[in-house]
Amino acid sequence: MKTFKIILGDITTIAADAIVNAANTTLLGGGGVDGAIHRAAGPELLEACRTLNGCATGEAKITLGYRLPAKYVIHTPGPIWQGGNHHEARLLQNSYLNSLALAESRACRVVALPSISTGVYHFPLDQAAPIAVRIIHSFLETSEHVQEVLMVCFDEKTKQAYEKAELAFRS
Ligand code: ADP
C-alpha cells in the first residue's frame, strides 16, 4: 500500500532514502531549505554539487546525503513566481515529477519533499499545494520502488495548505 503523508518538521532530520532540496539553478547553496540541507549535510555536499554544473528550473540532479540521515539529496530548482504567466505551474510540476522520477530510478522507497517554490520564490501556497498533491498522487499510481512520499512542511500554515489540497483531491 503506497502512502502520501503531510507532516510538520525539518526535512534535514528525516531518514528517508531521498530528500528533495528546493535549490537554485547554480546548485551551490542558498537560503531556506537549501541552506539548512547544506549545513546539515556538511561541506562534502557542496563539493559534490560543484561537479554538477548547475541545473535548469524544473529539472533535478542527485547527490549523496553525506552527513544527513537520508541516503540521497535530489536537487531541483523550482520556478520563481513572476505573476503566473511564465509557465510557473508547468515548471513546478516538472520539479516534483523529475525529482520523484530520479528517486524511482535509484530504487528509493521513501522520499521526503519540501514545499518547493513557496518560500523565497513566492509561488502562492494555495496554488502550489494542489499542483504538488496532484502530481505526487499520479506518480504513486505507477511507481514501482517509491512506496511512501512525505510532504515535510516547515510551518503550520504550509501544512494546512497541503492538508486542504489533499482533502480537495480526495473529494
Ligand atoms: P524556494 O526558494 O523554492 O521558495 P525556500 O527554501 O525559500 O525555497 O522555501 C521552500 C519551503 O521550504 C518553505 O515552505 C520554507 O518554509 C520551507 N523550509 C525551510 N527550511 C526547511 C526545512 N529545514 N525543512 C523543511 N522545509 C523547510
Side-chain angles (χ1 to χ4, degrees):
M1 181 59 193
K2 292 174 187 162
T3 52
F4 172 55
K5 287 185 192 155
I6 299 161
I7 63 170
L8 193 63
D10 175 348
I11 202 165
T12 66
T13 68
I14 307 285
D17 298 298
I19 66 169
V20 173
N21 179 16
N24 58 48
T25 56
T26 70
L27 298 185
L28 298 180
V33 72
D34 194 6
I37 288 172
H38 275 273
R39 277 193 298 280
E44 298 97 325
L45 181 61
L46 184 57
E47 286 306 305
C49 285
R50 280 191 207 289
T51 69
L52 298 177
N53 295 311
C55 185
T57 301
E59 301 297 311
K61 292 190 178 179
I62 192 164
T63 63
L64 294 175
Y66 301 99
R67 299 177 201 180
L68 290 165
K71 181 174 181 194
Y72 296 113
V73 180
I74 294 169
H75 308 263
T76 184
I80 298 171
W81 183 257
Q82 296 178 77
N85 290 319
H86 293 78
H87 310 293
E88 292 95 330
R90 179 172 54 78
L91 292 167
L92 187 66
Q93 282 188 36
N94 290 353
S95 275
Y96 281 102
L97 205 52
N98 287 322
S99 297
L100 290 166
L102 201 43
E104 175 73 18
S105 77
R106 297 298 177 103
C108 292
R109 201 185 74 81
V110 180
V111 182
L113 294 154
S115 176
I116 298 168
S117 285
T118 67
V120 172
Y121 283 1
H122 285 116
F123 201 118
L125 188 54
D126 63 337
Q127 293 181 55
I131 292 170
V133 165
R134 190 167 13 87
I135 210 89
I136 291 164
H137 280 292
S138 90
F139 170 82
L140 280 172
E141 275 176 25
T142 58
S143 62
E144 287 182 10
H145 298 287
V146 178
Q147 299 293 311
E148 187 169 334
V149 174
L150 304 171
M151 173 55 69
V152 184
C153 303
F154 203 50
D155 53 48
E156 195 58 48
K157 178 179 66 127
T158 301
K159 182 166 172 269
Q160 280 169 14
Y162 284 88
E163 281 170 346
K164 187 177 168 199
E166 171 70 2
L167 268 179
F169 179 83
R170 293 196 170 280
S171 68

